[in-house]
Amino acid sequence: MADSSFDIVSKVERQEVDNALNQAAKELSQRYDFKGTGASIAWSGEKILMEANSEERVKAILDVFETKLVKRGISLKALDAGEPQLSGKEYKIFATIEEGISQENAKKVAKIIRDEGPKGVKAQVQGEELRVSSKSRDDLQAIQALLKGKDLDFAIQFVNYR
C-alpha cells in the first residue's frame, strides 16, 4: 500500500484579505472618530498602506484591519505590520501578507515532527511547503494535532491529504 501524505503550507487567500481591507476602509469612512482626519487604508502594490494624521489613529486603523482579518478567518501571524512612520504631516504603517514557509521555518517544523512525532513519519521540504508522509493515516493525524498545539510564529494549513 502506498504511503499517505499531506502538505503543510502557509497560504492566505488574497480575496479574503481584499474583502477585509474593503470592510476596514468602509468602517473608517463611517466612524465618527475618523471623520476629517485623513484616515485611509489601501493597497500600495503588494503592500497595505495605512495613513492618518496621528500615531494613535494609524494604530487604530491597524486594529480595525486586524479585527476584520480575524472575522474572515485569516491568521494574524500572516500579517507583518511595520511601525508607524512620520512622513510629512502623516503617519504611515506599511503591512505585508506573509505567504510560504521559509527554509528555516520548514526545518524547524521537520525537526518537531522527527523529535516529537510518531516513528516512521517522513517530512520533506519542497520549495515553500513541507510534505509529510507515513504508512499510517493515524500517524498523520497525530502530526496535525501536534503541530496545531505548537505556537509557531507563522500560520500553517494542511492541504492535499491523501
Side-chain angles (χ1 to χ4, degrees):
M1 186 175 135
D3 285 359
S4 299
S5 69
F6 68 87
D7 295 335
I8 300 172
V9 296
S10 181
K11 288 196 171 121
V12 175
E13 201 167 316
R14 182 145 173 112
Q15 186 61 50
E16 290 296 326
V17 175
D18 201 36
N19 290 344
L21 185 125
N22 290 335
Q23 285 178 340
K26 186 173 182 182
E27 184 172 321
L28 294 181
S29 69
Q30 293 174 345
R31 271 182 43 178
Y32 177 76
D33 55 334
F34 287 113
K35 289 269 194 257
T37 61
S40 68
I41 180 170
W43 286 105
S44 174
E46 285 295 305
K47 293 184 176 184
I48 298 162
L49 172 63
M50 293 164 257
E51 294 180 299
N53 62 1
S54 75
E55 190 173 348
E56 291 77 31
R57 283 210 176 92
V58 80
K59 285 181 179 177
I61 294 170
L62 178 62
D63 187 50
V64 168
F65 182 54
E66 286 176 344
T67 304
K68 299 300 180 190
L69 285 175
V70 169
K71 283 185 180 175
R72 300 206 71 84
I74 297 170
S75 173
L76 291 182
K77 291 178 181 177
L79 180 70
D80 182 24
E83 290 298 312
Q85 300 167 339
L86 183 60
S87 171
K89 292 182 179 177
E90 298 271 304
Y91 279 88
K92 297 180 178 185
I93 293 180
F94 285 100
T96 56
I97 301 296
E98 301 288 323
E99 288 196 297
I101 299 176
S102 68
Q103 289 292 323
E104 62 189 45
N105 285 339
K107 288 178 183 173
K108 282 183 200 171
V109 172
K111 183 170 176 17
I112 290 170
I113 291 170
R114 269 196 319 276
D115 294 349
E116 301 176 33
K119 299 291 174 234
V121 176
K122 296 186 285 294
Q124 304 164 308
V125 178
Q126 296 179 332
E128 292 190 337
E129 56 185 45
L130 191 70
R131 166 132 323 141
V132 180
S133 57
S134 171
K135 295 211 179 301
S136 165
R137 286 179 170 238
D138 292 341
D139 288 351
L140 293 180
Q141 288 175 340
I143 293 294
Q144 286 182 353
L146 171 72
L147 292 177
K148 283 179 185 173
K150 292 285 178 194
D151 186 26
L152 301 170
D153 54 351
F154 55 98
I156 59 171
Q157 294 86 31
F158 306 113
V159 296
N160 296 341
Y161 189 76
R162 315 191 171 99

